[in-house]
Amino acid sequence: MFQRIINVYNLLEEDAKKAMTRTIDALTQAGIDYHLKVAIGDPSTEVVEIAKKEQADLIILGTRGLGAIKGVLMGSVSQKIIQAASCPVMIVK
């Protein structure tokens, strides 16, 4: 029987590139260097840990805007990052 080995990390990286196409194009056109990082785990924890490892000066986040009530009940990823980050966090809507 044929077995197919799937590299989950590569699949996630390709999905991230597709989702970020407009942003990547804008950064490239503006001549801004960037590094796409893909991680598996809790998003807020992963963002904070990568920022620490990379010694980031700033974390810039987009927000889906769940709304005040849903955000309070569920806890937003951006709010968790703001509380845990060791550098400033900018939220872009």
Side-chain angles (χ1 to χ4, degrees), residues 9 35 37-59 84-87:
Y9 182 85
H35 300 281
K37 301 286 183 180
V38 177
I40 299 171
D42 174 64
S44 57
T45 303
E46 295 298 326
V47 168
V48 170
E49 287 302 314
I50 289 171
K52 283 180 188 175
K53 286 180 191 172
E54 298 290 324
Q55 297 178 337
D57 296 321
L58 175 68
I59 298 171
S86 57
C87 64

Side-chain angles (χ1 to χ4, degrees), residues 16-81:
K17 286 179 183 176
K18 288 177 188 174
M20 297 291 297
T21 299
R22 287 179 42 202
T23 302
I24 289 170
D25 289 347
L27 292 170
T28 302
Q29 289 176 6
I32 298 171
D33 289 332
Y34 70 91
H35 300 281
L36 179 65
K37 301 286 183 180
V38 177
I40 299 171
D42 174 64
S44 57
T45 303
E46 295 298 326
V47 168
V48 170
E49 287 302 314
I50 289 171
K52 283 180 188 175
K53 286 180 191 172
E54 298 290 324
Q55 297 178 337
D57 296 321
L58 175 68
I59 298 171
I60 301 173
L61 298 172
T63 180
R64 291 187 301 164
L66 294 176
I69 294 174
K70 212 173 198 182
V72 169
L73 293 175
M74 296 175 64
S76 74
V77 171
S78 56
Q79 190 62 37
K80 290 176 186 175
I81 292 170

